[in-house]
Amino acid sequence: MHKATWLLLPVFWAETFTNTNGSLKTPPPVFGLPNCCASPSIRRRHRLISSLKTQSMLKFAHPKIAKKWNEIMAKQYDVVIIGAGPAGSVAALLLRQQGFSVCVIEKQHFPRYVVGESLLPLGMDVLEEAGVLHIIENEPFQLKNGIAFTYQNHYTAFDFRHKHGKGKNFALQVDRARFDHLLILQAQQRGADVHFGETVISMDNSADPVQLKIQQNSGIQYDLHARFVLDASGYFRAVPRLLGWEITQGITQHNVYHTQINDRITHPKFDRNKNLIAVHPEYRDIWMWLIPLDNQRSSVGLVGQARYFKQAEDQAGRLLGASELLKKYFGEVPLFQKIMPQAEWDNGFPFHYIPSYSADVQANHGNGFALLGNAAGFLDPVFSSGISSAMYSAKLAVEVLTRQLNGEKVDWQSEYASRQGYGAQVFKTSIDNWYNGSLQDWVFNPSHSPESREMLCAVLAGYAWDSSNPYVRDAQLA
């Protein structure tokens, strides 16, 4: 037996010696005695354990001993959250308000770029409940008070200040790198442990607690135990992938091309306080977004089925890339031609491509875990509902989980899945109607009453869970 192995044996009785990042803490006095009272040999062993700063030193131990050490050292939390995006951060903030121990596992390092810059008023309500709205409002993010649509020579706009029901009448367009980082820092400052650069590589939810195997970027692995797991990993869908729960068959797939430009728009027809959604003048199931950010920057994107873009070629017969496709399709929209003649497309910001993003899952909860936001299935981004509905799902899940962790019996299907699915179905129906053209026809029809437009406006503001709205109750236009 290696010397380091037998030196480890006397201290396997000890409680957890690991820090929240998996490294080893300095252990407490051996056998409950002050170090000065311990024998020299025990003090030497104690100093050896203190010097093991990472689990990589366990390579000197016999495999069985190293395995036993990891079992003893495994940290247990009330809740482990996978993903430090808005849904994960909001869940962590709300759980910390209740005093639960929380660990957030995030595979990337923040700040980092991610698309999806547009919040909805519903999301502002959730941020307020999580205690961080005042912090976000102090940032120089672009105000958003509605959404505008254009098709051929038609133009119409919905203002959140004129919507059905209660709730906030404004939102923000955010730099996601900054926004996401602010939220997770707040969760960290309020007591959540946050591990960046780490990935969940396995999960055993067959018993209580749930057992997770975590791998750091360095390759070091360690175990975490949790009374419950919330998957907020977005379209990465960590838990569904581990369990084989993803569903892609039977779902119409779309591609997304996006970047950020210096829009240089000064035309009075453009309202910087609103998203602008453009329907292609010939192919109505192709649409584009123009989301104004601060400093005359805008996020721009192109969405449509892959079959359209596979056929797009230049004069030499070469397939067009993301940059060329964005410029081509934006150039075919009359309003964009009018307001964007000075736009700087090639400003050093990369052009991104997301293929076949749509997916669904078998269920959004299981034994010891629940899925939040896009981890439970990715909704089309046409109404910018993704971030806000994800944060709202975190709120719903935490409400149920709080009661469960406090010893109450809960029904995740009726109290979470059905409630979350209620609003998600409203968005899904609206998205389906968008692509089949019926919602587009309605939007550009000027004959509808102000009351009907206010009902749709409320859904565009994110309030798809408001059953007082006839549009929501019927999941279709009244």
Side-chain angles (χ1 to χ4, degrees):
M1 182 180 293
H2 195 283
K3 182 178 180 181
T5 299
W6 68 261
L7 286 171
L8 289 171
L9 289 174
V11 296
F12 276 138
W13 63 273
E15 295 180 355
T16 300
F17 291 169
T18 54
N19 291 307
T20 58
N21 64 0
S23 62
L24 300 181
K25 293 178 180 178
T26 301
V30 179
F31 301 125
L33 297 173
N35 287 339
C36 62
C37 299
S39 69
S41 61
I42 290 177
R43 288 202 301 271
R44 283 196 299 273
R45 295 167 193 169
H46 189 260
R47 286 195 299 271
L48 174 62
I49 299 304
S50 299
S51 70
L52 296 177
K53 296 303 183 183
T54 70
Q55 288 184 327
S56 61
M57 291 300 293
L58 291 177
K59 65 184 179 182
F60 295 115
H62 187 280
K64 291 184 179 179
I65 299 300
K67 180 180 179 181
K68 183 64 177 177
W69 175 262
N70 282 329
E71 289 175 355
I72 294 174
M73 294 302 103
K75 179 81 173 180
Q76 177 160 331
Y77 291 87
D78 290 321
V79 184
V80 169
I81 300 170
I82 307 173
S89 294
V90 164
L93 287 162
L94 293 173
L95 287 164
R96 287 300 302 147
Q97 287 179 358
Q98 303 300 319
F100 297 116
S101 60
V102 177
C103 179
V104 182
I105 302 296
E106 169 55 52
K107 67 176 183 176
Q108 294 183 296
H109 291 275
F110 283 26
R112 52 83 177 99
Y113 168 76
V114 64
V115 72
E117 302 90 349
S118 197
L119 302 182
L120 299 179
L122 171 72
M124 309 304 282
D125 289 336
V126 178
L127 291 173
E128 186 171 49
E129 186 171 342
V132 292
L133 179 59
H134 64 288
I135 296 171
I136 302 304
E137 287 183 315
N138 285 334
E139 292 294 312
F141 295 137
Q142 171 67 43
L143 174 69
K144 172 184 176 181
N145 63 19
I147 181 170
F149 299 91
T150 184
Y151 168 60
Q152 295 179 345
N153 293 317
H154 302 284
Y155 177 90
T156 189
F158 291 81
D159 194 309
F160 295 150
R161 293 168 292 186
H162 306 291
K163 63 174 176 55
H164 173 91
K166 299 179 181 179
K168 290 193 166 36
N169 58 17
F170 73 96
L172 296 171
Q173 319 279 26
V174 298
D175 177 338
R176 283 292 301 278
R178 176 66 176 156
F179 176 74
D180 290 16
H181 200 200
L182 279 171
L183 287 185
I184 196 60
L185 286 177
Q186 285 300 311
Q188 200 169 27
Q189 291 171 14
R190 299 178 193 194
D193 290 341
V194 182
H195 300 188
F196 293 104
E198 299 188 1
T199 304
V200 178
I201 59 174
S202 70
M203 183 180 84
D204 182 358
N205 63 323
S206 60
D208 185 16
V210 179
Q211 299 181 41
L212 300 167
K213 178 72 71 176
I214 312 298
Q215 180 168 298
Q216 300 173 345
N217 283 349
S218 63
I220 296 172
Q221 297 181 5
Y222 67 94
D223 296 327
L224 281 182
H225 296 164
R227 296 170 67 189
F228 204 86
V229 173
L230 293 174
D231 184 357
S233 60
Y235 54 74
F236 179 70
R237 292 181 285 277
V239 169
R241 291 189 184 192
L242 290 173
L243 300 181
W245 276 22
E246 284 191 297
I247 300 172
T248 56
Q249 294 182 344
I251 299 176
T252 301
Q253 294 294 342
H254 295 86
N255 289 357
V256 177
Y257 304 86
H258 61 94
T259 189
Q260 290 185 8
I261 64 172
N262 301 327
D263 61 71
R264 297 177 175 173
I265 299 175
T266 59
H267 197 285
K269 187 67 175 178
F270 181 56
D271 185 348
R272 293 201 74 88
N273 292 333
K274 292 180 175 62
N275 286 15
L276 179 55
I277 302 299
V279 180
H280 190 271
E282 182 178 357
Y283 306 108
R284 295 182 64 187
D285 54 346
I286 294 178
W287 62 274
M288 288 143 274
W289 77 71
L290 176 63
I291 297 177
L293 306 173
D294 58 331
N295 298 323
Q296 281 205 315
R297 292 182 306 121
S298 282
S299 169
V300 294
L302 166 67
V303 181
Q305 293 184 43
R307 60 188 175 90
Y308 290 113
F309 309 128
K310 289 179 180 178
Q311 300 168 359
E313 300 177 345
D314 61 16
Q315 293 180 349
R318 183 179 61 88
L319 290 177
L320 301 182
S323 169
E324 296 153 313
L325 284 168
L326 279 163
K327 295 172 186 176
K328 166 183 164 57
Y329 281 93
F330 267 72
E332 293 171 355
V333 173
L335 183 57
F336 289 154
Q337 294 171 5
K338 182 181 299 184
I339 68 174
M340 299 176 65
Q342 304 300 321
E344 182 183 6
W345 288 83
D346 300 306
N347 59 0
F349 198 92
F351 289 82
H352 295 273
Y353 162 53
I354 304 175
S356 304
Y357 58 77
S358 301
D360 203 352
V361 295
Q362 294 181 18
N364 64 1
H365 68 97
N367 183 47
F369 72 90
L371 311 180
L372 309 181
N374 291 335
F378 189 78
L379 286 173
D380 192 275
V382 63
F383 303 127
S384 299
S385 59
I387 310 175
S388 297
S389 60
M391 292 192 295
Y392 191 74
S393 73
K395 162 188 158 63
L396 294 178
V398 169
E399 289 175 355
V400 181
L401 182 54
T402 296
R403 293 173 45 231
Q404 177 174 306
L405 294 177
N406 285 331
E408 294 185 41
K409 185 175 181 180
V410 300
D411 183 344
W412 278 91
Q413 182 58 39
S414 63
E415 297 180 50
Y416 174 66
S418 295
R419 288 182 66 198
Q420 192 275 337
Y422 183 83
Q425 181 59 43
V426 175
F427 283 125
K428 184 179 183 303
T429 299
S430 301
I431 290 166
D432 289 345
N433 289 340
W434 173 265
Y435 279 105
N436 67 32
S438 61
L439 183 54
Q440 294 182 27
D441 292 339
W442 198 98
V443 163
F444 294 110
N445 186 338
S447 66
H448 291 295
S449 68
E451 292 78 14
S452 294
R453 288 179 61 85
E454 290 173 2
M455 294 173 195
L456 176 57
C457 186
V459 173
L460 297 176
Y463 296 104
W465 285 265
D466 179 10
S467 59
S468 73
N469 186 343
Y471 183 98
V472 170
R473 287 201 303 269
D474 300 335
Q476 61 184 359
L477 285 173

